[in-house]
Amino acid sequence: MPQSPQLLRRLLRAKDRMDGAAHEDWPIHRLAQVSAVSEAHFAREFKKAFGLPPHRYLLTRRIERAKTLLRDTDMPVTDIALQTGWSSLGTFGRIFRDITGESPGELRTSERSHPHAGVHIPECVLRGVERPDLNTAVLEKRRIEAAGKLEPQSNEEDI
């Protein structure tokens, strides 16, 4: 059954709030309150509408913002972690590496070694291409990788 336009507007309201303040905590009860629906209904319908559960969607926004700050500023990694909503530098670094395949410092170095690689690509297209793939939970990826069933992510081409 397709989602009603009224429900989609409510879900979009919560998504817009997360986009505007990705550094804040967004527990399900707060998002459901913004959308004026129950918590279970919100979680189910958000995933149906946007393809990701709310937590993973927020994670993609935080990682995207961190990558931009790493590439475009000289801010210390600790400040970037705190500014993008992480309370622990260790957690930020571990999850950042799990999602991007590089530590924040490695990503900063590699992005700066190719400073004009995406100059002629529209920003909206570049963001879509660089958006982290979180269709599988980070912890699930780690379990599969440990079992040897998933190759670790790498940004380098196999030679």
Side-chain angles (χ1 to χ4, degrees), residues 2-31:
Q3 295 171 310
S4 73
Q6 294 85 5
L7 176 61
L8 290 173
R9 276 195 294 277
R10 290 177 178 184
L11 296 172
L12 192 56
R13 187 179 311 139
K15 182 176 171 277
D16 288 344
R17 290 269 184 98
M18 281 193 286
D19 287 342
H23 62 282
E24 293 182 18
D25 287 333
W26 288 102
I28 292 293
H29 69 86
R30 184 176 176 198
L31 293 166

Side-chain angles (χ1 to χ4, degrees), residues 7-112:
L7 176 61
L8 290 173
R9 276 195 294 277
R10 290 177 178 184
L11 296 172
L12 192 56
R13 187 179 311 139
K15 182 176 171 277
D16 288 344
R17 290 269 184 98
M18 281 193 286
D19 287 342
H23 62 282
E24 293 182 18
D25 287 333
W26 288 102
I28 292 293
H29 69 86
R30 184 176 176 198
L31 293 166
Q33 189 176 28
V34 168
S35 298
V37 296
S38 73
E39 294 175 26
H41 188 64
F42 174 81
R44 206 175 29 250
E45 295 301 315
F46 188 94
K47 182 175 181 181
K48 192 178 188 184
F50 302 112
L52 291 172
H55 174 73
R56 288 190 207 161
Y57 177 80
L58 182 59
L59 208 54
T60 63
R61 292 295 178 234
R62 287 180 174 178
I63 295 297
E64 286 174 347
R65 178 75 179 135
K67 286 172 72 173
T68 300
L69 290 172
L70 287 164
R71 182 183 61 238
D72 298 341
T73 71
D74 290 324
M75 289 174 61
V77 174
T78 304
D79 292 348
I80 291 173
L82 295 174
Q83 188 173 340
T84 54
W86 304 92
S87 57
S88 162
L89 180 61
T91 302
F92 168 68
R94 179 174 40 83
I95 291 176
F96 190 92
R97 179 184 287 279
D98 287 345
I99 292 172
T100 65
E102 296 178 294
S103 72
E106 291 169 344
L107 183 115
R108 175 175 270 170
T109 301
S110 68
E111 288 286 330
R112 290 187 176 178

Side-chain angles (χ1 to χ4, degrees), residues 135-152:
N135 288 324
T136 305
V138 173
L139 292 176
E140 184 63 22
K141 283 182 182 179
R142 211 176 290 139
R143 277 189 221 109
I144 292 169
E145 197 173 286
K149 297 179 183 174
L150 179 70
E151 293 296 318

